[in-house]
C-alpha cells in the first residue's frame, strides 16, 4: 500500500487546516496520523478503524482535530481546528496490516512521505 499525503501548509494560530492521505489500493486496515517535530520522536495524533466505528486521539489534539475516512476514495482525512504553534511538525499518514487501532508507530507497516504543517503565532 502506498500512501500520499497532501494539504499541508501555513496557517495562523487559531486557524484550521485539513490534510488528506490517499492510499493506492482499497484497504480495510486501521489508519493513523502521526507527526514529528525536528529532533523529536514520531508522535501519535489520531487513528480510525476501517468501519469508522472507532477513533482515537492524542490528548493534545482531542476536541480540536477530527479524523475521517472515505473508503470509496481510499482516502483518510485529518481536519485540524484551533491550531497552536506546537501543532507545527510534519504530519505522516500510516496504515496497519490489521484492522485494530494502535497508537504505536512501530505497529504501522505503511507510511506516507509526510506533509508539512506550519502554524505561525
Amino acid at each position: 500500500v502506498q500512501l500520499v499525503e497532501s494539504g499541508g501548509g501555513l496557517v495562523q494560530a487559531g486557524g484550521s487546516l485539513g490534510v488528506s492521505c490517499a492510499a493506492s489500493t482499497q484497504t480495510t486496515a486501521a489508519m493513523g496520523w502521526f507527526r514529528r517535530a525536528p529532533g523529536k520522536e514520531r508522535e501519535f495524533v489520531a487513528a480510525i478503524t476501517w468501519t469508522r466505528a472507532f477513533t482515537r486521539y492524542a490528548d493534545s489534539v482531542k476536541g480540536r482535530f477530527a479524523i475521517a475516512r472515505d473508503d470509496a476514495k481510499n482516502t483518510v482525512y485529518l481536519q485540524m481546528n484551533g491550531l497552536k504553534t506546537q501543532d507545527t511538525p510534519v504530519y505522516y499518514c500510516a496504515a496497519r496490516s490489521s484492522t485494530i487501532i494502535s497508537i504505536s508507530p512501530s505497529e504501522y507497516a505503511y507510511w506516507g512521505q509526510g506533509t508539512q504543517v506550519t502554524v505561525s503565532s
Side-chain angles (χ1 to χ4, degrees):
V1 178
Q2 291 184 320
L3 304 173
V4 179
E5 300 98 335
S6 60
L10 175 65
V11 64
Q12 286 191 328
S16 299
L17 193 66
V19 290
S20 303
C21 171
S24 58
T25 60
Q26 194 166 29
T27 176
T28 60
M31 305 284 291
W33 284 96
F34 293 78
R35 64 188 184 186
R36 182 164 61 188
K40 295 189 176 182
E41 294 187 354
R42 202 163 292 192
E43 173 191 24
F44 170 74
V45 176
I48 187 168
T49 57
W50 174 60
T51 61
R52 288 160 284 177
F54 296 102
T55 57
R56 187 167 178 178
Y57 296 91
D59 289 342
S60 58
V61 307
K62 202 172 294 183
R64 300 188 297 121
F65 289 15
I67 187 171
R69 64 190 293 169
D70 184 338
D71 293 310
K73 297 181 179 180
N74 299 335
T75 300
V76 177
Y77 305 93
L78 184 68
Q79 178 63 36
M80 302 178 286
N81 302 316
L83 283 161
K84 305 175 182 179
T85 54
Q86 55 262 46
D87 295 321
T88 274
V90 178
Y91 283 73
Y92 297 89
C93 173
R96 293 200 69 192
S97 298
S98 164
T99 58
I100 301 172
I101 282 177
S102 173
I103 66 171
S104 174
S106 64
E107 295 187 357
Y108 286 77
Y110 307 98
W111 290 86
Q113 81 288 351
T115 185
Q116 177 72 51
V117 171
T118 302
V119 183
S120 64
S121 58

